[in-house]
């Protein structure tokens, strides 16, 4: 089964840092555009950070700009989300997603990892 697997979620205090990791299972995603989304119960899933097409670098949601950093290893096997200065409103399930190069939709998703920020 081809899927993405996230890890690194947990419970931390406001102001702390946390890093999430995402790797592929059943296939490699080194040619895919990768992104992170998050969702809280009762709300739509929202974009957090991702790599733009044609290696034009990362983009970020306004809510996390300056605090979160998306990166991937040199072999493009894993993608990371480094989160600093966490706020209670960052509490959500975080999902890794992959979009084929040139594609418009994210077609592979992970199962999500819970991030909870206490005030």
């Amino acid at each position: 089964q081809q899927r993405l697997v996230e890890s690194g979620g947990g419970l931390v205090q406001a102001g702390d840092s946390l890093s999430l990791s995402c790797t592929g299972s059943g296939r490699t995603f080194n040619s895919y555009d990768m992104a992170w989304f998050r969702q809280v119960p009762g709300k739509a899933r929202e974009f957090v950070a991702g790599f733009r097409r044609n290696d034009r670098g990362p983009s970020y949601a306004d809510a996390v700009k300056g605090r979160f950093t998306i990166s991937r290893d040199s072999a493009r096997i894993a993608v990371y989300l480094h989160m600093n200065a966490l706020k209670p409103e960052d509490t959500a399930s975080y999902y890794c997603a992959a979009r084929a190069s040139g594609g418009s939709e994210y077609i592979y998703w992970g199962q999500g990892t819970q991030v909870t920020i206490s005030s």
Side-chain angles (χ1 to χ4, degrees), residues 43-66:
K43 292 189 176 181
R45 190 170 297 185
E46 64 175 6
F47 172 83
V48 176
F51 290 100
R52 291 176 288 184
R53 295 183 180 85
N54 301 319
D55 291 327
R56 290 186 296 156
S59 63
Y60 298 93
D62 288 342
V64 307
K65 201 171 294 183

Side-chain angles (χ1 to χ4, degrees), residues 51-102:
F51 290 100
R52 291 176 288 184
R53 295 183 180 85
N54 301 319
D55 291 327
R56 290 186 296 156
S59 63
Y60 298 93
D62 288 342
V64 307
K65 201 171 294 183
R67 300 187 298 121
F68 289 14
T69 302
I70 187 172
S71 66
R72 63 193 312 176
D73 66 319
S74 58
R76 298 168 63 94
I77 294 175
V79 62
Y80 308 97
L81 185 67
H82 307 284
M83 306 182 289
N84 297 318
L86 284 161
K87 305 174 181 180
E89 50 264 43
D90 294 319
T91 295
S93 292
Y94 283 72
Y95 297 86
C96 180
R99 176 179 64 194
S101 182

Side-chain angles (χ1 to χ4, degrees), residues 13 16 34 41 73 78 85 96 101 109-110 116:
Q13 294 185 331
D16 284 353
M34 305 296 291
D73 66 319
C96 180
S101 182
W109 293 85
T116 303

